[in-house]
Amino acid sequence: MRIASSVLDLIGSTPLVRLNAVNRSEVPIVAKVEYLNPGGSIKDRIAVRIVHAAEASGELRPGGTIVEPTSGNTGVGLALVAQQRGYRCVFVVPDKVAEDKRAVLRAYGAEVVVAPTAVAPEDPRSYYSVSDRLVRETPGAFKPNQYANPAGPASHAASTGPEIWEATDGRITHLVAGVGTGGTITGTARFLKEASGGSVQVIGADPVGSIYSGGTGRPYLVEGVGEDFWPGAYDPSLVDEVIAVSDGDSFRMTRRLAREEGLLVGGSSGMATVAAVRLASRLGPDDLVVVLLPDGGRGYLGKVFDDDWMRRRGFLGTAGVGSVGELVRRKDVGGLADAGSLPAVRRDATVGEAIDVLRRRGGSRLLVLSAPQPVVLGEIAGTLDAHRLLAAAPGDSIEALIGPMPAFVGAAEPVAAARATLTAEESVLVLDDGRPLDLLTRTDLLAHASDDHEGTAP
Ligand SMILES: Cc1ncc(COP(=O)(O)O)c(C=O)c1O
C-alpha cells in the first residue's frame, strides 16, 4: 500500500514540467511546481526541518508556541507541522499580504497578528519588532527565524537540490529562483554546485527595488521575495547573477502562466519565470534551465488575477488617445511650475511647508511621501487636505493631519474612469505600470473638459 503516515510525509518530491508557451527560445525551461506541496508552497520544506532541529536542540518543548514573522507561506508550513506535533502558533504578517492568505493561516488553527509594511525594520510597529516582542512575552516561545535559521537552507540542500538533480539526470545547467530569505536559492545551489562540480549556474530573481539586485530596499508589490536587509539564510557567494524584474512584468507573466501553461501560481513565480525567459534567450540548445515556482495563485485572486486591480495600477494596456495618461501629459505641457513631479510633501514636513507647496501648485490636496521623489506606490503614506492645514499652526508637524490613501486609476484607462472616481473621491492617483504619475483633482478634469470644448468649437 502507498499510504503516507501523516500529511508531513507528503512534503517534497514535487514534479518538473516543461514551459512551452511562455518560452520562445530553443533552450528548455522546466518549472518545479512547489504549490503541489500539501501546504501549497515551497515553505513546507523548511518548516519540517526547522521544527525537528528545534526539538532536537531543546529550543522547542512540549506545549511550546511557535512565533514567526511570515508572509504567509512559511506560516502555513509551520502551522501544519505544529498541529501535527502539538504546538501553538502565532504569526505576524505584513499588511500587504492578502486577507485570503491570513484566513488560510487561521483555518489551520494559527493566530494571526497584522503589522504595517511602510515602516523601517527597526520601528517598534514593524513585523520584525512585533514578533520579537511576542517572543519575549510568550512563555515557551520559539522563533524559527527563517531569515537566519540554517535549517532553512539545509532543507533545500537535502530535498529540493537532490530532487532537481535526479529528475534532470544531472543535466540541469542553470537554476533560477526568487530570493526572499535566500534559503531556497542558497540550499538548492549548495547541493547543485557540489553535485555538478561547480558547473551549474545559479541565478536569483529579484523585484526591482530590492537589495539583492542592487536596490535600496524600496517597496514593490510582488509578495514573498526581495528584501531591504541581508538575511543570514542567504549566501551570495553561491549566486552567479541576479536578475531584477519589475512588478508589471512579474504580474503579466503570472497571468500568462495560468492562461497558457495551466499553472495557477503566485506573483513571485511569474517574476522567476521572467528571469528564466530572459536568461534562456542568451543560452544555447545544450542548456537546461530549471525555475522554481514557489506557491499557487489562489491567494492572489483579488490582486494579480483581478483585471480591475491590475488596470487601476497601470499594469494592463497602453495610455493612448482619450486615456488618463494622455490627460496627464497634456496637463504637464500646459506649463505647470513643477511639471513631472507629484504635488507632494515629505512626511516630516511642517504645516507651513505644506501650505507653500499647495500655494505654488494650486489645488486643495497633496500626497504625503515617506521617500524623496520620484516615489513608488509603497512610499505614499497618504494625503493631506487644505482644510486640515487651515486648522493647524505653521510650525506644527503634518504627521497628525495625514489622511487616507487616494483612489487609483491606471494611465491606460479612459478619462471616464477618472471622472467616475472623482464623483465620489477628492482626488485620484494616476499609476503607470505601478509608478505614480500624478494626482488628479476635479479641477484637472474640468480644465480637460473645457480644453475639449475649445477644440471642438467652430
Ligand atoms: C511566494 C514566495 N516566493 C518565493 C519565496 C522565496 O523563498 P526564500 O525565502 O527561500 O528565499 C518565498 C519565501 O518567502 C515566498 O513566500
Side-chain angles (χ1 to χ4, degrees), residues 43 71 73 146 156 178-184 223-225 268 294-295 300:
K43 292 292 183 175
S71 67
N73 290 328
Q146 61 164 333
H156 293 291
V179 190
T181 66
T184 301
E223 294 176 29
V225 280
S268 68
D295 72 353
Y300 310 91

Side-chain angles (χ1 to χ4, degrees), residues 24-77:
R24 288 211 197 91
S25 76
E26 300 280 285
V27 184
I29 302 178
V30 299
K32 189 159 173 68
V33 188
E34 290 295 308
Y35 71 75
L36 293 171
N37 281 298
S41 90
I42 195 163
K43 292 292 183 175
D44 290 2
R45 295 175 185 268
I46 71 167
V48 182
R49 190 148 183 137
I50 284 176
V51 170
H52 282 173
E55 287 171 342
S57 69
E59 285 174 279
L60 191 54
R61 293 172 197 281
T65 300
I66 296 173
V67 180
E68 179 77 342
T70 160
S71 67
N73 290 328
T74 304
V76 170

